[in-house]
Amino acid sequence: MPPAADLVKVAIEWPGAFPKLMEIDQKKPLSAIIKEVCEGWSLGNHENFALQIADATNFYITEKNRNDIKNGSILRLTTSPYQTAVQLHERIQSSSMDAKLESLKDLANASRDITFAQEFINLDGISLLTLMVESGTERYQKLQKIMKPCFGDLLSFTLTAFVELMDHGIVSWDTFSVAFIKKIASYVNKSAMDTAVLQRSLAILESMVLNSQDLYHKVAQEITIGQLIPHLQGTDQDIQTYTIAVINALFLKAPEEKRQEMAHILAQKQLRSIILSNVIRSPTPINDEMAHQLYVLQVLTFNLLEDRMMTKMDPQDQAQRDIIFELRRIAFDVECEPNNGSIEKRKSMYTRDYKKLGFINHVNPAVDFTQIPPGMLALDNMLYFARHHQDAYIRIVLENSSREDKHECPFGRSSIELTKMLCEILKVGELPSENCHDFHPMFFTHDRSFEEFFCICIQLLNKTWKEMRATSEDFNKVMQVVREQIMRALTLKPNSLDQFKSRLQNLSYTEILKIRQSERMNQEDFQSRPILELREKIQPEIMELIKQQRLNRLCDGTCFRKISSRRRQDKFWYCRLSPNHKVLHYGDLEESPQGEVPHDSLQEKLPVADIKAVITGKDCPHMKEKGALKQNKEVLELAFSVLYESDEYLNFIAPDKHEYCVWIDGLNALLGKEMTSDYTKSDMDTLLSMEMKLRLLDLENIQIPEAPPPIPKEPSNYDFVYDCN
């Protein structure tokens, strides 16, 4: 008799018959088990049958995933993936509209299973679907007016099946014809199109652009920004999200020389104001996917500044030198240069004015703009400020001209360093990360938002300089304070530039000092030897507390999203640790759960004793597969895998850095290894500091000596000792 561990008790269903209760020996071949089940119902040709999980997924049981079957599972006997694929391949070509519609619906559902998908693709099913999209639907154009809902459903299920099959990554996107792309593009370009068809068409176009440079050029010829804009003006947030995703994909994959041209078209089409009024200020709350797409658009827009940021000024270029002359003219209202004066006199006057403007090189300020970053971008910002906020510009320059040399805030040097700082804060030139949703509504409120952002911050810098009574030696200190002011104001996510400005008003230098003092008191760390000894004594207790917290979090469980090449198809699975810390329970979910998922609803489990190792980052098997994708840097930092049995893996991609640290720490704690995440270090510092302060509460305002006090001399007699006898 097989060991109990190899026996699984299940119920197997067959239409029109009572469910069969049986024990499956996991060591027996799957074909032998299916044959046994078929014989129980007197069914021949057992090779034409297969077992499925009897739930909403209907996934086939294979030799690869059969170990996922747990005690109490309900299975269903059904036709094999090959037979089902052959039947559906024939049925979707039926001349009957009703039969065709029903078979396409079944195909859309079945295509989610990779085992079926492989069989259907082997029958050249993808080519059949593309042919149906290219030409097959033309036969029903005449029926469209009288059978519009039916036509919409027919096309919707065809495209859904196509998307599901392509999502498995079995077939390359490079194989599709121009005719197919034109047809998909036509569904996007039509003003009145079925919502489901439009949604899937946009998803297909996005995947094509992201996965193939060749297809990018073909899609870009068929789709214009003007045709996409109307889809943003509706109220369906899903359609809006897919539309912005296509625009982002076209933006991301465009050759560098065409990105500025595309940005110009987006500006002409008023994309920013349309997004602001129809998405950001819409009464519908912005979901995570929309927030991600807005973040990507924000990053790609700011990345247009990279070229200027990395361009050095050419001191011999007269056009560039004229910009510096323009800054001087606006500041000092110089109508014309005295032609009758000597060259030395003019040079002396220029040098004096450039010194007042705060350039480092008073003789030839063009040299100041040879540092990259920020390169020419700093000069662009200065000119924008001088022209569009002329009064503020003149006030800053003249105000500092009248101060003592050591107390003047150098406008030129400040502008260059501030531009460099803003580029670092906004990560200009970096690719957008996969899981970030950190977009700022205020950057969608102005066509020149970066320049306006600079104008607000340069005035802040001048104000902070005065509040700090800074001198030229304090320049770096002032820049640190300004950076802190900007970062703190940005975390509040102001809705407009004016709101950002008012937030900065509440973050004066005095307020920053108070905040710093408060944080310093909370993080105060005593360094005397007795305190260090106490810290060492307390540390193991705190580490045990952190370990228990991590394990408790694993017991609560986490919802993980399955990341695919087509990002927005949300598929979820849940994993949690059993209360006795012996087993990891996990299973797929149809949607993101609200709260915890109970153990009994998670079908699969992995004993902790079987775990051999925890692997992170690029060493994970699911990251090796995705290595070719460009945007996976962020995903790479959130990926980890659990190795068990003989080279079997359970692969995770954490929803964020916090959950990643929790799971890595928790799994290491289960394996008896050290918890080394940044989150553990942060918790250790916080809890240790708090515990130290609690234990030393009575010693407040008492100076703790570096060395212990000396032992006093023995008394001359012990008469004072009380005799207990």
Side-chain angles (χ1 to χ4, degrees):
M1 185 175 176
D6 295 332
L7 292 176
V8 182
K9 296 180 180 179
V10 298
I12 301 179
E13 299 176 339
W14 173 252
F18 287 109
K20 184 189 291 290
L21 299 175
M22 65 178 293
E23 287 186 342
I24 290 178
D25 181 2
Q26 291 285 40
K27 295 298 181 184
K28 285 176 66 175
L30 193 58
S31 56
I33 294 169
I34 294 170
K35 182 179 181 181
E36 183 184 338
V37 173
C38 289
E39 288 173 350
W41 274 308
S42 303
L43 300 172
N45 298 325
H46 67 89
E47 63 275 2
N48 292 335
F49 291 91
L51 292 172
Q52 277 181 331
I53 297 287
D55 60 12
T57 62
N58 290 331
F59 285 170
Y60 283 98
I61 304 297
T62 63
E63 290 290 356
K64 196 171 181 180
N65 65 17
R66 63 182 295 178
N67 289 326
D68 295 339
I69 304 173
K70 307 303 176 188
N71 276 321
S73 298
I74 300 175
L75 309 182
R76 181 186 298 120
L77 185 67
T78 185
T79 51
S80 68
Y82 172 74
Q83 289 295 324
T84 307
V86 170
Q87 291 169 14
L88 285 174
H89 194 274
E90 293 173 1
R91 285 170 55 203
I92 62 174
Q93 300 178 71
S94 170
S95 56
S96 164
M97 177 71 84
D98 290 337
K100 195 180 190 76
L101 185 64
E102 194 61 35
S103 58
L104 282 168
K105 185 178 180 181
D106 291 343
L107 177 62
N109 288 327
S111 295
R112 290 180 298 172
D113 184 290
I114 192 169
T115 311
F116 167 83
Q118 186 68 68
E119 296 292 352
F120 190 78
I121 289 168
N122 289 344
L123 295 170
D124 215 12
I126 294 278
S127 298
L128 177 60
L129 291 178
T130 53
L131 188 64
M132 289 172 64
V133 172
E134 288 173 25
S135 58
T137 53
E138 298 292 345
R139 288 178 286 171
Y140 303 104
Q141 292 293 330
K142 294 178 183 178
L143 298 171
Q144 188 175 358
K145 290 182 181 177
I146 56 174
M147 302 180 69
K148 190 170 181 180
C150 184
F151 176 78
D153 289 344
L154 184 81
L155 191 53
S156 170
F157 289 131
T158 305
L159 294 178
T160 302
F162 175 82
V163 167
E164 292 288 356
L165 290 167
M166 290 302 297
D167 193 40
H168 296 297
I170 299 169
V171 178
S172 168
W173 282 95
D174 286 309
T175 57
F176 297 106
S177 67
V178 174
F180 178 71
I181 297 169
K182 284 180 180 289
K183 185 61 68 174
I184 296 296
S186 72
Y187 300 142
V188 173
N189 294 337
K190 285 181 183 175
S191 56
M193 178 50 73
D194 182 81
T195 303
V197 172
L198 176 59
Q199 206 177 72
R200 283 153 185 76
S201 299
L202 288 166
I204 291 168
L205 290 177
E206 185 202 4
S207 293
M208 283 180 170
V209 172
L210 290 177
N211 287 284
S212 168
Q213 193 64 36
D214 184 45
L215 285 183
Y216 156 76
H217 295 291
K218 294 175 182 175
V219 171
Q221 290 173 356
E222 300 300 325
I223 291 289
T224 65
I225 301 300
Q227 291 161 335
L228 292 170
I229 294 289
H231 300 311
L232 292 172
Q233 295 171 321
T235 55
D236 189 322
Q237 191 171 114
D238 285 339
I239 295 295
Q240 291 173 328
T241 304
Y242 279 84
T243 303
I244 296 176
V246 173
I247 293 171
N248 285 338
L250 289 168
F251 215 143
L252 186 67
K253 291 296 180 178
E256 286 187 24
E257 64 274 10
K258 287 194 174 182
R259 284 180 193 164
Q260 294 289 350
E261 181 186 330
M262 187 173 173
H264 182 64
I265 295 169
L266 294 176
Q268 281 185 329
K269 297 294 181 183
Q270 302 279 306
L271 177 70
R272 179 199 57 76
S273 57
I274 289 169
I275 289 175
L276 182 66
S277 55
N278 292 281
V279 178
I280 295 174
R281 292 179 177 169
S282 163
T284 308
I286 293 175
N287 59 32
D288 283 350
E289 186 52 43
M290 175 60 87
H292 172 73
Q293 294 302 339
L294 291 173
Y295 153 78
V296 172
L297 182 60
Q298 173 186 293
V299 170
L300 295 176
T301 304
F302 284 141
N303 281 358
L304 294 171
L305 304 168
E306 184 182 11
D307 185 45
R308 293 295 282 174
M309 180 181 80
M310 301 307 289
T311 301
K312 293 182 179 181
M313 185 171 184
D314 180 3
Q316 306 306 318
D317 189 327
Q318 189 57 44
Q320 295 178 359
R321 291 167 64 86
D322 286 345
I323 298 175
I324 298 176
F325 288 140
E326 178 73 358
L327 290 171
R328 175 176 171 265
R329 186 194 65 76
I330 295 172
F332 305 113
D333 197 24
V334 180
E335 291 297 333
C336 61
E337 302 301 336
N339 294 322
N340 53 357
S342 66
I343 294 173
E344 287 76 14
K345 187 175 180 181
R346 286 207 303 274
K347 281 185 177 178
S348 173
M349 186 167 56
Y350 291 164
T351 301
R352 182 198 65 204
D353 290 347
Y354 292 149
K355 186 173 184 294
K356 289 180 181 178
L357 280 168
F359 290 111
I360 298 171
N361 191 317
H362 304 153
V363 178
N364 185 8
V367 176
D368 288 12
F369 300 97
T370 56
Q371 174 196 351
I372 54 171
M376 288 296 292
L377 185 59
L379 189 57
D380 295 343
N381 283 339
M382 292 167 72
L383 184 62
Y384 181 90
F385 181 48
R387 285 179 173 170
H388 293 84
H389 300 271
Q390 195 166 323
D391 290 345
Y393 167 70
I394 293 171
R395 187 181 70 250
I396 286 176
V397 173
L398 296 183
E399 193 178 81
N400 286 292
S401 300
S402 61
R403 291 182 189 166
E404 295 176 52
D405 283 355
K406 67 174 186 177
H407 281 289
E408 67 178 3
C409 177
F411 173 73
R413 183 186 176 192
S414 298
S415 298
I416 292 167
E417 290 301 320
L418 179 64
T419 301
K420 183 180 177 182
M421 181 200 293
L422 297 183
C423 289
E424 290 170 0
I425 290 172
L426 298 176
K427 298 180 179 176
V428 174
E430 292 187 22
L431 282 173
S433 62
E434 183 70 23
N435 291 321
C436 187
H437 311 104
D438 188 26
F439 84 98
H440 293 278
M442 73 177 191
F443 291 128
F444 290 85
T445 61
H446 201 284
D447 288 328
R448 303 286 295 273
S449 58
F450 184 80
E451 289 88 341
E452 288 291 326
F453 185 43
F454 168 83
C455 292
I456 293 169
C457 293
I458 193 67
Q459 293 176 74
L460 167 73
L461 192 153
N462 189 61
K463 174 174 170 282
T464 302
W465 184 283
K466 287 189 289 186
E467 290 172 350
M468 292 177 68
R469 295 186 178 86
T471 63
S472 53
E473 288 82 13
D474 300 321
F475 186 86
N476 290 333
K477 291 180 183 177
V478 175
M479 294 305 293
Q480 288 172 6
V481 173
V482 169
R483 187 187 192 100
E484 189 173 343
Q485 289 170 314
I486 294 169
M487 293 299 290
R488 289 185 184 278
L490 284 177
T491 55
L492 300 170
K493 290 292 175 73
N495 290 320
S496 67
L497 289 161
D498 285 339
Q499 202 175 89
F500 172 69
K501 201 171 181 178
S502 65
R503 294 273 192 274
L504 290 174
Q505 294 294 329
N506 299 327
L507 286 167
S508 64
Y509 176 57
T510 308
E511 187 61 31
I512 292 292
L513 284 180
K514 288 179 183 175
I515 293 170
R516 284 182 173 180
Q517 181 64 22
S518 172
E519 289 178 351
R520 194 178 297 117
M521 288 176 67
N522 292 334
Q523 296 171 359
E524 194 170 10
D525 188 16
F526 300 107
Q527 295 300 319
S528 64
R529 192 163 62 84
I531 300 298
L532 292 175
E533 288 177 2
L534 181 59
R535 282 174 66 91
E536 288 177 15
K537 185 178 178 182
I538 296 173
Q539 204 158 330
E541 301 172 20
I542 302 296
M543 187 57 77
E544 183 61 29
L545 181 65
I546 294 172
K547 175 182 173 182
Q548 290 306 317
Q549 187 274 339
R550 298 293 190 270
L551 294 175
N552 289 341
R553 277 288 291 106
L554 263 60
C555 291
D556 293 339
T558 301
C559 176
F560 297 94
R561 184 158 64 177
K562 294 183 176 179
I563 301 290
S564 64
S565 59
R566 191 166 51 79
R567 183 183 185 279
R568 283 189 322 285
Q569 181 169 350
D570 288 343
K571 292 183 178 180
F572 301 96
W573 67 290
Y574 201 88
C575 187
R576 64 182 299 183
L577 181 66
S578 61
N580 63 3
H581 302 169
K582 299 287 186 184
V583 180
L584 283 176
H585 295 266
Y586 61 97
D588 291 339
L589 301 174
E590 287 298 306
E591 57 185 4
S592 182
Q594 303 297 319
E596 292 182 19
V597 176
H599 293 93
D600 51 13
S601 66
L602 301 173
Q603 298 296 322
E604 292 85 6
K605 61 183 179 181
L606 169 63
V608 171
D610 291 350
I611 297 175
K612 293 182 178 178
V614 178
I615 302 165
T616 61
K618 62 183 180 182
D619 296 327
C620 299
H622 58 316
M623 287 298 101
K624 289 176 182 176
E625 296 166 10
K626 290 176 168 286
L629 294 179
K630 212 173 182 182
Q631 284 181 258
N632 277 336
K633 182 184 174 186
E634 189 73 17
V635 177
L636 205 62
E637 294 175 354
L638 301 176
F640 61 99
S641 299
V642 172
L643 171 65
Y644 64 97
E645 290 186 357
S646 54
D647 295 331
E648 291 289 328
Y649 293 90
L650 188 60
N651 297 321
F652 299 76
I653 295 177
D656 51 49
K657 191 69 177 176
H658 180 275
E659 287 295 319
Y660 172 83
C661 291
V662 165
W663 276 85
I664 292 298
D665 287 341
L667 291 169
N668 280 329
L670 286 173
L671 298 177
K673 295 182 180 178
E674 190 178 349
M675 300 184 294
T676 56
S677 76
D678 295 339
Y679 187 37
T680 294
K681 292 172 186 172
S682 172
D683 281 355
M684 173 61 77
D685 290 342
T686 303
L687 294 172
L688 199 53
S689 174
M690 189 183 300
E691 183 66 19
M692 291 289 290
K693 285 175 182 176
L694 285 171
R695 296 202 183 193
L696 298 172
L697 202 58
D698 294 334
L699 301 179
E700 194 171 333
N701 296 324
I702 296 175
Q703 190 170 0
I704 300 171
E706 287 293 330
I711 300 172
K713 292 180 180 179
E714 287 191 18
S716 56
N717 62 68
Y718 292 90
D719 295 343
F720 58 87
V721 175
Y722 179 75
D723 188 356
C724 294
N725 298 323

